[in-house]
Amino acid sequence: MLTLIKYPLMVFLIWYLISSGKLDLLILKNFISNSGLILLVCIFILFLTAYLAFSKRYQLFINVLGYCSNFKDIFCISMVGLFYNNFLPGGTGGDIMRVYYLRKKIGVPISVGTATTLLDRILGLLGLVLVSGIALTLVLVFTDNKLAVFSEYR
């Protein structure tokens, strides 16, 4: 029954985006033709690898707390969360959907789902801080004019 609602809604949303001009297919076509197929395949592989790793991390959180989850379910839940994060206003819509589907598919209580999602967000933030710190260190070490690097962004 839910499938009967999902697919027409998806078709309607795509039609709306194209007809309203919010999704310009000419820009998408130019991007694909200018970028080259090899670059796009590499981007897709990197994206998929990152989300496989994120899903595995999320599965470890769930399993450590004593709930049996398989990787396929967690990956699907992560992809649903990614979709909602990209298409709903704000940045937490996907997290709410992840908690909902953890409850629905695996039987994880809402409090545990919320805690694991929050922990996943915090570890993601710490990863960004770590990568930013490494990048800043590399810029400072390998740049001759250190003040010029920061003055350009004022």
Side-chain angles (χ1 to χ4, degrees):
M1 179 70 179
L2 188 59
T3 305
L4 292 174
I5 297 170
K6 283 195 287 189
Y7 291 116
L9 180 64
M10 179 184 67
V11 169
F12 171 75
L13 287 174
I14 292 172
W15 171 82
Y16 171 74
L17 289 172
I18 292 171
S19 65
S20 67
K22 296 181 191 286
L23 179 63
D24 190 358
L25 294 179
L26 183 61
I27 293 174
L28 183 63
K29 180 184 170 241
N30 289 338
F31 174 75
I32 291 172
S33 63
N34 291 337
S35 298
L37 187 60
I38 293 176
L39 178 63
L40 293 176
V41 169
C42 290
I43 290 170
F44 177 77
I45 290 171
L46 286 172
F47 176 80
L48 184 62
T49 303
Y51 258 89
L52 288 170
F54 297 151
S55 298
K56 188 63 181 172
R57 179 180 70 193
Y58 201 59
Q59 181 190 21
L60 290 173
F61 294 157
I62 300 297
N63 290 344
V64 163
L65 294 174
Y67 297 94
C68 186
S69 64
N70 63 25
F71 183 75
K72 179 185 171 198
D73 287 342
I74 297 297
F75 183 72
C76 289
I77 290 170
S78 296
M79 290 294 105
V80 167
L82 174 67
F83 174 80
Y84 281 102
N85 273 339
N86 285 322
F87 289 103
L88 286 179
T92 59
D95 294 337
I96 293 169
M97 294 309 295
R98 281 200 302 181
V99 171
Y100 170 76
Y101 280 110
L102 278 175
R103 174 79 176 137
K104 183 178 175 184
K105 287 189 173 256
I106 301 172
V108 175
I110 292 174
S111 60
V112 174
T114 304
T116 56
T117 302
L118 185 62
L119 179 63
D120 187 52
R121 282 286 184 142
I122 290 170
L123 285 178
L125 177 65
L126 289 176
L128 285 174
V129 168
L130 178 67
V131 169
S132 300
I134 292 170
L136 179 63
T137 303
L138 291 173
V139 165
L140 292 175
V141 168
F142 292 111
T143 305
D144 293 332
N145 192 351
K146 294 173 179 35
L147 294 177
V149 171
F150 295 108
S151 65
E152 292 179 21
Y153 296 105
R154 286 187 153 187

